[in-house]
Amino acid sequence: MAIDVDPTASLMEHFGDLDDPRIEHLVEHRLLDILAVTICAVICLAESWVDIENYGLAKQQLLEGVSWVTQRHCLP
């Protein structure tokens, strides 16, 4: 079964319609930002949430300059 996916679509186009089950007033980071950092970390061989956190901290300055990362409460 082939899935018709645009390889040039942005993360927002792919994941923008995901429902966020979290309680809105407790949310510190956008779900899309968390997904984007997680995807980048996994591409760089992260294997755990600790690895993902370490990746985010190590790349924080770079990632904060990327347009899809909001700076509401710093990097997720």
Side-chain angles (χ1 to χ4, degrees):
M1 179 172 106
I3 299 175
D4 187 24
V5 176
D6 179 3
T8 63
S10 69
L11 285 174
M12 184 62 159
E13 291 169 328
H14 281 290
F15 300 110
D17 292 335
L18 282 178
D19 290 328
D20 190 344
R22 300 174 296 167
I23 300 169
E24 189 171 333
H25 71 277
L26 298 176
V27 172
E28 292 186 27
H29 305 287
R30 293 185 326 158
L31 182 60
L32 183 60
D33 292 344
I34 295 169
L35 289 171
V37 171
T38 302
I39 290 168
C40 290
V42 169
I43 289 170
C44 292
L45 305 178
E47 295 182 339
S48 68
W49 287 111
V50 171
D51 289 346
I52 293 166
E53 178 185 20
N54 289 336
Y55 172 86
L57 293 172
K59 302 295 184 183
Q60 184 169 357
Q61 188 174 11
L62 172 71
L63 293 170
E64 286 176 347
V66 179
S67 63
W68 45 258
V69 176
T70 64
Q71 296 181 12
R72 180 174 164 203
H73 287 93
C74 196
L75 191 67

